[in-house]
């Protein structure tokens, strides 16, 4: 996939391995490590039929990308989901405040519950759900549009969210990770109130607020530092950035994130499928399409992250920008010896 | 998930092993008034329901499997009556219930009782915690006690009846089914509701009907404050009949005409603009 954006993360560079570093003869990831640190955060399943959605979910998750979906997104009363039946494929349950479409069975086998304490925004930019989304989520209403909520309906303040977390622990029998989604713009306001609760981590949502990848990296590092101060350094920190290239996604992972959303890579599968109902209807064809389109990008992210895994972020990445160097505590690469050409970069 | 006090099993009793019994044809005469496999504690008063008990079971971790195994094979068959003891303050009790059984639980329960249940009937004698009937999509739950916050949140079907009072956000976001509270309810009742029915026999707190659409809210007592854009109106003929039937079925005392309905101002204006809608003239 071509890098689409001029993101601030482009200003970070990969630092070379020290020349004296010993060669690691076995330099590959274990095959059993299926999760690539990537996830498909908010697929627009209403674009395609559940049977097609099921193929795409299975194809994408087989590349180690965790996929977010409700049972009703990928299955019907008469058709089971082959994706859901495969317990080895990573799955996220999108737990929206309105709980539209959620069934008891959704909690049965799920790796991560994404508690979205953020308002849902429809495609047209409004806070809510349009008719097509409502239809897919099984909401029977005459209204053309239903506004979304900022908090789960059973609570009125963020500091009561532990009640919702407790309920999800019970519904998943404690087997799933509970992540709290918060907007990057509200971290300063909401994060302190959430820190003492019984979650497993956070999903930082920066796509909707227009945040640059570099700013998200600095927010993530701030969050990680706050978590370290309360003894929760190893909590999961996922991030939903604006569209990024594989290299910049790897940089985010090396800097602070445990997983990064790749909706900009995966959403086109659904758009293209919706244009022709017969297009790519078989499981194999979906798998091949994923392989052809994003297979090398996933490998690239895996490779870069693996190469940097045994090093601190501060030695794996550097920058020629003094401000970024200070912001992210990364080594400043001196370019003074190269004159004006170096400085202009 | 249970509260700090773990379920206790009295030494004089043992749980039924459903594998050894046919739920559809229990070999126990209900008329005897005692349990199918264990001695009835002599000190415990029998309720009307308990007099018809077919089986008693304890509340071990796998109680849901037992209940499922004792379910009537066909919903049209006679449902077995089960009494569950030792469920004291258990959280998520009967969560996901989907069985053709009638249950009586003689103890207070924790949070999320019958959450996401889809079928079956339960009568709970005692208070329940927060979020009872959370996500309910079918079945009936009667609570002879008080309920915490978030009663019936996100329901899409079924019935929840509370004979005491309930906390904040009763019936928030419901889209179907009915929530009945004989006593008072707290703040934000009916918040974001998109359908279904909420009946309040007592008083309501602040912001009643907040951001609700298309839900039928009926109240008999006082309202601390209505949400913006909501107003009170008398019941229409059809609602009097509907509520009257509901009250009879739910054994709620009084008459339907004692209630008012809470509706969006826009909806009431629309009704008024339709001739004969509010005050039908039969002449």
């Amino acid at each position: 996939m071509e890098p689409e954006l001029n993101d601030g993360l482009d200003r970070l560079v990969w630092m070379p391995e020290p020349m004296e570093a010993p060669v690691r003869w076995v330099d590959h990831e274990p095959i059993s490590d299926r999760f690539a640190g990537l996830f498909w955060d908010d697929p627009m399943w209403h674009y395609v039929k559940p049977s097609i959605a099921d193929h795409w979910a299975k194809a994408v998750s087989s590349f180690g990308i965790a996929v977010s979906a409700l049972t009703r997104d990928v299955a019907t009363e008469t058709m089971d989901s082959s994706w859901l039946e495969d317990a080895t494929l990573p799955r996220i349950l999108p737990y929206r405040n309105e709980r539209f479409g959620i069934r008891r069975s959704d909690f049965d086998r799920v790796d991560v519950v994404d508690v979205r304490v953020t308002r849902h925004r429809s495609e047209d930019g409004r806070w809510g759900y349009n008719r097509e989304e409502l239809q897919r989520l099984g909401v029977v209403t005459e209204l053309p549009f239903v506004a979304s909520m900022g908090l789960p309906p059973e609570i009125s303040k963020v500091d009561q969210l532990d009640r919702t977390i407790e309920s999800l622990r019970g519904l998943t029998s404690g087997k799933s990770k509970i992540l709290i989604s918060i907007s990057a713009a509200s971290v300063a306001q909401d994060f302190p109130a959430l820190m003492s609760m019984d979650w497993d981590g956070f999903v930082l949502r920066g796509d909707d607020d227009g945040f640059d990848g570099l700013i998200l990296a600095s927010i993530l590092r701030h969050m990680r530092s706050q978590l370290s101060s309360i003894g929760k350094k190893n909590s999961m920190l996922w991030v939903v950035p604006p569209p990024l290239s594989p290299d910049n996604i790897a940089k985010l992972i090396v800097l602070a994130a445990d997983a990064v959303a790749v909706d900009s890579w995966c959403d086109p599968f659904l758009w293209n499928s919706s244009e022709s109902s017969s297009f790519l209807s078989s499981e194999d064809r979906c798998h091949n399409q994923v392989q052809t389109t994003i297979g090398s990008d996933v490998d690239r992210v895996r490779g870069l992250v693996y190469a940097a895994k045994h090093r601190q972020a501060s030695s794996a990445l550097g920058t020629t920008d003094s401000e970024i160097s200070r912001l992210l505590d990364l080594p400043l690469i001196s370019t003074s010896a190269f004159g004006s050409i170096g400085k202009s970069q | 998930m249970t509260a700090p006090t773990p379920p206790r099993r009295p030494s004089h009793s043992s749980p039924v092993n459903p594998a050894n019994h046919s739920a559809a044809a229990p070999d126990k005469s209900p008329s005897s008034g005692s349990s199918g496999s264990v001695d009835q504690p002599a000190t415990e008063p029998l309720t009307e329901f308990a007099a018809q008990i077919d089986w008693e079971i304890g509340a071990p971790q796998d109680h849901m499997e037992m209940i499922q195994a004792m379910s009537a094979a066909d919903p049209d068959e006679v449902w077995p009556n089960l009494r569950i003891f030792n469920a004291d303050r258990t959280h998520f009790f009967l969560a996901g219930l989907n069985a053709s059984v009638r249950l009586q639980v003689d103890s207070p329960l924790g949070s999320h009782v019958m959450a996401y249940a889809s079928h079956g009937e339960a009568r709970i004698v005692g208070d329940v915690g927060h979020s009872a009937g959370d996500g309910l999509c079918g079945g009936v739950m009667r609570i002879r006690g008080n309920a915490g916050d978030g009663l019936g949140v996100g329901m899409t079907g079924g019935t929840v009846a509370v004979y005491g009072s309930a906390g904040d956000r009763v019936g928030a976001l419901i889209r179907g089914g009915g929530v009945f509270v004989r006593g008072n309810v707290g703040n934000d009742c009916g918040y974001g509701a998109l359908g279904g029915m909420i009946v309040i026999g007592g008083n309501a707190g602040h912001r009643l009907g907040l951001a609700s659409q298309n839900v039928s809210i009926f109240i008999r007592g006082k309202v601390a404050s209505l949400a913006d854009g909501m107003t009170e109106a008398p019941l229409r003929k059809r609602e009097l009949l509907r509520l009257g039937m509901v009250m009879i079925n739910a054994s709620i005392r009084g008459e339907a005409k004692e209630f008012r309905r809470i509706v969006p101002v826009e909806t009431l204006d629309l009704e008024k603009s339709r001739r004969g809608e509010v005050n039908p003239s039969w002449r």
Side-chain angles (χ1 to χ4, degrees), chain A residues 114-229:
Chain A
D114 175 12
V115 187
R116 298 186 176 179
V117 198
T118 46
R119 278 184 200 276
H120 176 82
R121 197 194 280 274
S122 70
E123 287 168 74
D124 57 15
R126 289 188 284 170
W127 297 116
Y129 298 81
N130 62 30
R131 196 185 290 276
E132 290 75 27
E133 287 175 296
L134 292 169
Q135 222 162 30
R136 184 53 170 270
L137 294 169
V139 180
V140 181
T141 175
E142 293 167 4
L143 303 168
F145 184 84
V146 172
S148 52
M149 294 180 160
L151 282 172
E154 67 272 18
I155 62 172
S156 54
K157 295 175 185 167
V158 172
D159 57 16
Q160 295 172 328
L161 194 68
D162 48 355
R163 204 184 289 174
T164 304
I165 297 170
E166 183 196 339
S167 78
L168 292 169
R169 291 262 183 238
L171 289 165
T172 57
S173 307
K175 291 175 183 165
S176 307
K177 301 288 184 192
I178 310 288
L179 302 190
I180 311 297
S181 272
I182 52 173
S183 161
S186 67
V187 166
Q189 183 188 333
D190 296 334
F191 191 54
L194 295 166
M195 278 179 66
S196 61
M197 296 179 192
D198 181 30
W199 34 255
D200 295 297
F202 290 89
V203 181
L204 180 69
R205 297 188 169 276
D207 57 330
D208 209 29
D209 309 321
F211 278 96
D212 179 275
L214 192 67
I215 301 298
L216 291 176
S218 86
I219 295 174
L220 282 170
R221 287 181 74 121
H222 167 76
M223 290 171 76
R224 184 72 77 192
S225 141
Q226 294 280 299
L227 293 172
S228 295
S229 70

Side-chain angles (χ1 to χ4, degrees), chain A residues 97-100 102 104 107 139 143 149 153 155-156 163 166-167 169-171, chain B residues 1 91-92 96 111-112 116 130 134 149 153 169 172-173 175 191-192 194 213:
Chain A
N97 291 329
E98 303 78 15
R99 307 190 204 176
F100 292 155
I102 290 186
R104 177 69 182 88
F107 299 101
V139 180
L143 303 168
M149 294 180 160
I155 62 172
S156 54
R163 204 184 289 174
E166 183 196 339
S167 78
R169 291 262 183 238
L171 289 165
Chain B
M1 183 181 287
H91 299 311
F92 292 93
S111 68
H112 297 86
Y116 290 92
H130 298 313
D134 183 330
D149 295 342
V153 162
R169 304 221 161 190
L173 211 66
R175 307 202 302 275
Y191 171 51
L194 292 172
Q213 300 258 13

